Amino acid sequence: MIEMSRADFEVLVSEALDEVPMELAALIDNVAIFVEDEPPGSDPGLLGIYEGIPLTERGHYYGGVLPDRITIYRNPTLAICDTVDDVIDEVNITVVHEIAHHFGIDDARLHELGYG
């Protein structure tokens, strides 16, 4: 497992968000991004999670709700990586994966696209 401070990991998440094409970033609506060290105990290998209502499921009733939440988990990501470059790649993949869920793209399609 590679060692990396939470602050350095948060920088990688921020840089991954900066890499999202501007056309897509402009469409992200009502989402907060978080970094946490550990995922829920029920899924210790989880690298990230999207919690909310995807854009494709929002109707005219959508409003006045708390932001959707994307959480990227530091320790499981570091546990599967051997180098800093591996961490950068994995963070980029995980960030794109969770943003894709916000756009209504499911896991099966993400795996087909290489973001599984």
Side-chain angles (χ1 to χ4, degrees):
M1 178 170 136
I2 191 164
E3 295 289 326
M4 180 178 289
S5 72
R6 181 161 177 162
D8 288 343
F9 190 83
E10 288 174 350
V11 168
L12 295 182
V13 172
S14 178
E15 290 173 349
L17 290 166
D18 289 343
E19 293 297 316
V20 174
M22 204 176 256
E23 301 81 22
L24 290 178
L27 298 174
I28 296 172
D29 182 44
N30 199 29
V31 178
I33 312 289
F34 297 91
V35 171
E36 293 185 10
D37 289 335
E38 297 291 342
S42 61
D43 200 351
L46 190 64
L47 303 182
I49 191 166
Y50 168 75
E51 300 168 290
I53 301 170
L55 294 175
T56 55
E57 296 178 18
R58 295 180 184 180
H60 66 280
Y61 59 87
Y62 183 84
V65 298
L66 292 174
D68 292 358
R69 181 181 176 107
I70 291 175
T71 306
I72 309 299
Y73 297 108
R74 182 175 71 98
N75 288 336
T77 303
L78 297 178
I80 65 168
C81 295
D82 296 320
T83 67
V84 172
D85 286 340
D86 291 344
V87 176
I88 291 168
D89 291 343
E90 196 57 55
V91 166
N92 286 335
I93 289 168
T94 304
V95 166
V96 169
H97 181 107
E98 302 311 331
I99 289 172
H101 285 317
H102 174 64
F103 287 109
I105 301 171
D106 65 15
D107 280 332
R109 181 66 179 136
L110 285 168
H111 284 277
E112 290 173 12
L113 296 171
Y115 293 98

